[in-house]
Amino acid sequence: MNFYAISLPILIVLHLIEGVALVWLLVLRYKLGREDNAPLRDAMSRLYRYAVDGVLPAPPRTTRRRWLMAEALFSLTRHLSLLSVDERRQLGHRCSLIYHLLKDAEHSDGVAQSEALQLLSVIPLDDKSVERLARTVPAEPMGQLYRMLILIVYSPDRVTEIIDSDGLHLSGYLVPRLVARLEECRVVLPVRSLLATGALLPSLVALRVVARYELGDYWEEVFEALQSPHREVRMAAIKTLAVLGVTIDRRVVEATAAMSVAERREVLRIFLREGYSAMALQPLSDAEASIGSPLAEYAVCRTLSRKRTLVKTL
Amino acid sequence: MRKILLSFSSLTAIESLSLVLRPIGASLSVAQSSESMIEALLRDEYSLLITSHIAPFIGGGDLVGRLCRRSVPRPSIFVISHLRHEPTLLALYESGVDQFISFPLSPHRLLRKVVEELQSRP
C-alpha cells in the first residue's frame, strides 16, 4: 500500500515530464525543418513594399527580428537602387537599427562586431552616431574596413584624412574590397592627394584606383611611388605600371635592384602576365645579367615556353 | 507562360530579383550554382536567364554554343554582377551574353529590359 502510494505520483510526474519533453522536441524539429530563409525573405518583402508603396514596416520587437531587418536592408541596398538615403535614414531611426547596431559594434568583438559595422554601413548616420562610431576601434580588419567606409561616406571631403589617420594595415585582399565598396557608395577618391601622403594605406588605395581604371594620367605619380619606403607600395606601383603598359626605364630597374630574388622574379612575372615581351623586359634582364643572377634568362625562357604552348594548342 | 531562370549563389540576390520580377507574372525558377544552372538550361526551355555566374560563359565551356545547337530557341542571357573589369565584360559579350548589368541595379530599368526582351521573343 505504502509502495503504491509513493510510486504512483512519481510515475505520473515522470510521464508528464516525458510528455512535455516530447512536445518540445516536436516543436524544435518543426522549427529546424522549416525553411531558414523565410524570416529574412519576409523582412526583405516588407522593405520592398515600403520602397514601392510607402508602407512603413512595423518596428521589430525582438533582437533577432531587428537583426533580420538590418540584414534585409543591407542585401536590398547592395543589390537594388531602391531605397533613397532619406528612406534608409528613416528606417534606421524608426526601427532603432542605428542605436542597436552601434551598441553591438561597441560591446561585441571579432566577427560579430564586423557584421554589425557591415550592416551599419548602408544606413546614413547622424553626427552623434558618427562620434560614437569614431570612438570604436574594431580589432578585426574587416570591422576596421567598414568603420572607415562609414566615416568616409559620412564626410567624403575628408577621405584622404580618414584613410591616412587610421594607420591601418589592410591586406592585399581588403584594399580592392574597400575601393569597390567606396565605388558602390559613389565616393570619388582623390588619387593625387592620396599618393602625396606617402603613407601605406592611402598609397595602396590610390594605386588600386589607378590600376583598376587604367588611369594613364597618373603614371608620373606611380613612378614616384617606386621610391616609397613600404615594400607593398613599391610592388603595387610595379603592378600598376605594368597595367598601364609603360616602357621599362631606369627608375623601374633601380627600384627592383634593392629587392630580393623572389621579389624580382615576381616583378618579371607581373610584367610578363601583362603581355610584355622579352625585348621590352631587356633593361631588367640586363640588370640581372650584370650581377650574374639566374633571372637574366627568365623573361626569354618564359616567353619561349609560352610560344611553345601556343603552338601546341593551335 | 514565359519561364525565367534566376541563377545566383547569393540567396538574398535571388530574393531581391524575385521581388522585382514578380509583377511580370512569369514563372521563376532558381539555381544556386553554375552546375545546376547549366543542368536546368539544357533540360528545360527558358525564355530568359538572369545570372551572376560568369565562368560558364568565359571558362571555355561554350555554354551559349551548346544552347544554340539545340532544337529549341536559346534563352536570352542577362549577366548581373558587381564586376566592372572591362576585359571580362568584353569577353562576356563576345561569348554571346545579351546584356550585362552591374549591381546595384534600378528595379524599373531591369523590369523594362526584361519585359522588352520577353516581348521581342517569338
Side-chain angles (χ1 to χ4, degrees), chain A residues 37 41 44 79-81 183, chain B residues 11 15-16 84 103 105:
Chain A
N37 309 309
R41 190 179 290 171
M44 286 178 79
H79 295 129
L80 304 176
S81 304
E183 187 190 312
Chain B
L11 271 170
E15 186 53 32
S16 305
R84 282 170 176 83
F103 278 129
L105 53 93

Side-chain angles (χ1 to χ4, degrees), chain A residues 37 40-42 44-45 48 71 75-82 180 183-184 186 212-214, chain B residues 10-13 15-17 19-23 82-85 87 103-107 110:
Chain A
N37 309 309
L40 181 63
R41 190 179 290 171
D42 182 46
M44 286 178 79
S45 173
Y48 188 79
E71 273 188 38
S75 305
L76 271 183
T77 311
R78 282 215 70 199
H79 295 129
L80 304 176
S81 304
L82 192 69
E183 187 190 312
E184 280 174 30
R186 294 179 178 83
R212 186 172 165 88
Y213 299 105
E214 299 180 16
Chain B
S10 152
L11 271 170
T12 51
E15 186 53 32
S16 305
L17 292 178
L19 287 168
V20 175
L21 298 175
R22 205 167 283 164
H82 286 285
L83 267 183
R84 282 170 176 83
H85 188 234
F103 278 129
L105 53 93
S106 155
L110 176 71

Side-chain angles (χ1 to χ4, degrees), chain A residues 47 50 56 69 73 77 82-99 119-130 153-155:
Chain A
L47 289 182
Y50 168 55
L56 259 169
M69 180 158 281
L73 181 59
T77 311
L82 192 69
L83 290 156
S84 67
V85 174
D86 287 339
E87 284 171 332
R88 276 182 278 148
R89 186 179 291 122
Q90 194 180 359
L91 269 174
H93 284 296
R94 184 178 154 82
C95 302
S96 311
L97 298 180
I98 296 175
Y99 173 77
L119 297 180
L120 202 58
S121 69
V122 295
I123 307 172
L125 301 185
D126 52 17
D127 298 348
K128 277 186 182 175
S129 310
V130 170
V153 171
Y154 176 72
S155 47

Side-chain angles (χ1 to χ4, degrees), chain A residues 143-175:
Chain A
Q144 293 170 354
L145 184 148
Y146 278 106
R147 176 182 169 275
M148 184 188 283
L149 183 73
I150 296 167
L151 295 177
I152 291 172
V153 171
Y154 176 72
S155 47
D157 41 334
R158 285 180 55 232
V159 57
T160 310
E161 193 188 322
I162 294 167
I163 296 180
D164 191 18
S165 65
D166 272 21
L168 291 180
H169 184 90
L170 295 181
S171 67
Y173 162 71
L174 288 177
V175 171

